[in-house]
């Protein structure tokens, strides 16, 4: 008798099962790098008013041309350089599927965002990792990435700038050198760019092999809306658009994106508050016993706490309803945790809970 699973690609079957996860509605969610603040009330009101006027039985734009135009204006680019997707995860899938085929090679630093490896594996491609040196501050190993890409005739190099989960900020000059020397497509995930006050948009006009990934989920405080986008050369954007499904944004996400891009003033204020809280929290945690806090240009902190990482994570969840990320899945970061920057009140609760953990020993 035929096994129905034999009809599936082995790249899919080889992936681990996705476990069920349900939200705890009253927990303090400091594990997914979500924004601690909601959109300003005036913007929410305008979004809902426009949504109420929309005929829901109609499709949205065939392609979200209005949103594309506003994103292009936001970055000072041509609208022919922008590709919109329903989330940055969907953007990663789109770019990887456009570039990688079974047997191709892709190069990336390690540790970095785990979805890159997963997505490359689903394409049947071979992933080559270049270690980031903790002693060297997790700096971008440009020469090693270039050499590895050349050795394997890679189709793509992938980096996250600033990097998740280390929080490391990469210099524009280093990324430019990587783009010039890698000999393949360079995908730069800039999900956390605003928190580092770095912008690599200039690279897409300097190099025709660079694709920058952006999201509305982080600095724009719109994780629940689900919008991602690429900015790149007109040549690559034209090809990527061939893989974008029709009517990709729903009425809510389309309207929300338009309203936010018409009212971007809150972004700088929110970002400033998060950066200030990040520095305050980093200093306070650094004073706690047995911690090493790494520099961050994101809305999270990487902290080495040693063998107590799991116990601390479990304690904060059970006793204080605070969720943080134990980085045990990263072999290089065993004994480390990652904490998203919350509101001032949430960060104070975290510190109080951590201190109570230390006192109970």
């Amino acid at each position: 008798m035929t096994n129905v699973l034999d009809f599936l690609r082995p790249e899919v079957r080889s992936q681990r099962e996705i476990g069920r996860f349900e939200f705890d509605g009253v927990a303090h969610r400091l594990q997914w790098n979500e924004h601690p603040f909601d959109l300003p009330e005036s913007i929410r009101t305008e979004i809902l008013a426009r949504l109420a006027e929309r005929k829901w039985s109609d499709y949205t734009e065939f392609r979200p041309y209005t949103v594309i135009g506003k994103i292009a204006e936001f970055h000072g680019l041509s609208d022919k350089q922008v590709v919109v997707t329903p989330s940055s995860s969907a953007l990663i899938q789109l770019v990887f599927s456009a570039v990688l085929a079974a047997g191709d090679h892709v190069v990336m630093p390690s540790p970095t965002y785990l979805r890159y490896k997963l997505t490359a594996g689903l394409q049947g491609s071979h992933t080559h990792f270049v270690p980031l040196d903790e002693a060297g501050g997790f700096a971008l190993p440009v020469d090693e990435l270039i050499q590895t890409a050349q050795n394997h005739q890679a189709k793509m190099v992938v980096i996250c700038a600033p990097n998740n989960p280390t929080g490391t900020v990469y210099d524009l000059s280093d990324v430019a050198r990587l783009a010039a020397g890698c000999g393949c497509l360079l995908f730069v995930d800039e999900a956390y760019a605003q928190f580092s006050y770095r912008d690599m948009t200039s690279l897409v006009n300097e190099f025709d092999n660079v694709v920058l990934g952006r999201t509305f989920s982080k600095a724009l405080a719109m994780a629940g809306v689900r919008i991602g986008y690429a900015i790149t050369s007109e040549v690559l954007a034209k090809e990527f658009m061939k893989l974008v499904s029709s009517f990709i944004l729903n009425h809510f996400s389309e309207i929300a994106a338009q309203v936010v891009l018409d009212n971007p003033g809150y972004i700088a204020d929110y970002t400033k508050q998060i950066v200030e809280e990040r520095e305050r929290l980093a200093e306070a945690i650094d004073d706690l016993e047995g911690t090493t806090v790494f520099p961050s240009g994101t809305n999270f902190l990487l902290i080495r706490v040693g063998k107590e990482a799991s116990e601390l994570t479990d304690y904060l969840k059970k006793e204080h309803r605070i969720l943080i990320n134990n980085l045990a899945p990263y072999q290089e970061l065993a004994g480390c945790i990652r904490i998203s920057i919350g509101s001032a009140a949430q960060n104070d609760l975290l510190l109080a809970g951590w201190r109570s953990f230390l006192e109970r020993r």
Side-chain angles (χ1 to χ4, degrees):
M1 183 175 179
T2 302
N3 183 349
V4 68
L5 295 180
D6 291 338
F7 299 125
L8 302 182
R9 291 192 298 118
E11 292 87 358
V12 175
R13 295 179 60 181
S14 65
Q15 301 298 324
R16 65 180 178 85
E17 181 182 358
I18 302 300
R20 177 169 175 166
F21 183 91
E22 297 184 6
F23 290 105
D24 181 342
V26 298
H28 299 282
R29 288 163 36 171
L30 303 182
Q31 85 280 37
W32 284 333
N33 307 335
E34 295 167 305
H35 206 291
F37 311 126
D38 206 342
L39 286 174
E41 185 62 30
S42 58
I43 293 179
R44 288 166 56 88
T45 299
E46 184 174 351
I47 291 171
L48 294 176
R50 290 197 199 178
L51 183 62
E53 297 173 355
R54 184 68 65 92
K55 186 179 178 183
W56 291 12
S57 59
D58 287 348
Y59 284 117
T60 56
E61 289 186 295
F62 182 70
R63 295 288 192 276
Y65 300 116
T66 303
V67 174
I68 288 171
K70 290 182 180 296
I71 290 173
E73 183 180 359
F74 184 74
H75 288 286
L77 298 170
S78 163
D79 60 3
K80 294 180 180 180
Q81 293 179 270
V82 178
V83 180
V84 170
T85 57
S87 80
S88 59
S89 296
L91 173 63
I92 293 168
Q93 180 68 55
L94 182 148
V95 173
F96 280 46
S97 64
V99 176
L100 299 174
D104 285 339
H105 297 263
V106 59
V107 176
M108 61 190 72
S110 181
T112 194
Y113 186 34
L114 292 175
R115 179 160 290 276
Y116 307 145
K117 176 185 177 182
L118 169 64
T119 308
L122 289 171
Q123 294 301 119
S125 61
H126 304 291
T127 302
H128 304 277
F129 297 104
V130 176
L132 297 176
D133 181 16
E134 180 178 332
F138 299 114
L140 188 67
V142 177
D143 293 332
E144 292 87 346
L145 288 167
I146 290 174
Q147 190 63 57
T148 304
Q150 292 177 349
N151 289 347
H152 296 282
Q153 297 183 307
K155 297 287 290 293
M156 182 164 60
V157 172
V158 180
I159 65 172
C160 187
N163 188 41
N164 177 18
T166 64
T168 316
V169 177
Y170 299 142
D171 289 337
L172 178 63
S173 59
D174 285 340
V175 180
R177 189 157 64 87
L178 179 57
C182 67
C184 58
L185 188 143
L186 174 62
F187 179 72
V188 183
D189 186 345
E190 283 198 287
Y192 303 94
Q194 289 95 332
F195 302 111
S196 65
Y197 298 110
R198 299 287 176 92
D199 185 349
M200 299 194 180
T201 305
S202 62
L203 293 178
V204 302
N205 290 327
E206 184 177 356
F207 302 98
D208 61 5
N209 64 324
V210 172
V211 180
L212 303 181
R214 287 289 189 116
T215 179
F216 278 60
S217 295
K218 306 305 179 184
L220 276 65
M222 297 174 68
V225 179
R226 314 306 298 136
I227 303 176
Y229 61 95
I231 51 179
T232 186
S233 64
E234 292 187 13
V235 172
L236 286 177
K238 180 180 178 181
E239 298 304 311
F240 291 149
M241 284 292 282
K242 297 175 182 178
L243 298 179
V244 176
S245 299
S246 306
F247 315 112
I248 60 168
L249 299 184
N250 59 48
H251 286 305
F252 175 67
S253 58
E254 184 180 63
I255 290 171
Q258 292 176 24
V259 173
V260 161
L261 291 169
D262 285 339
N263 299 274
Y266 76 96
I267 300 172
D269 179 56
Y270 274 11
T271 300
K272 180 175 181 291
Q273 292 182 61
I274 291 173
V275 170
E276 289 175 350
E277 275 299 299
R278 182 185 72 204
E279 300 311 308
R280 181 180 77 90
L281 187 61
E283 184 177 352
I285 293 175
D286 199 42
D287 288 338
L288 298 176
E289 179 185 347
T291 63
T292 300
V293 182
F294 296 93
S296 175
T298 66
N299 67 334
F300 61 81
L301 292 172
L302 173 68
I303 305 123
R304 183 172 293 284
V305 297
K307 61 183 180 181
E308 293 185 327
S310 295
E311 187 179 354
L312 173 62
T313 302
D314 292 342
Y315 174 81
L316 290 174
K317 178 180 179 180
K318 180 179 179 181
E319 301 296 332
H320 298 276
R321 308 298 288 277
I322 298 171
L323 306 180
I324 63 173
N325 201 338
N326 181 359
L327 296 181
Y330 293 90
Q331 184 177 357
E332 314 95 315
L333 298 177
C336 289
I337 58 175
R338 191 190 66 193
I339 300 175
S340 309
I341 307 304
S343 65
Q346 288 177 314
N347 297 333
D348 287 341
L349 286 173
L350 169 74
L351 291 170
W354 198 328
R355 292 183 181 114
S356 68
F357 171 78
L358 294 174
E359 291 169 356
R360 63 190 280 275
R361 293 184 307 178

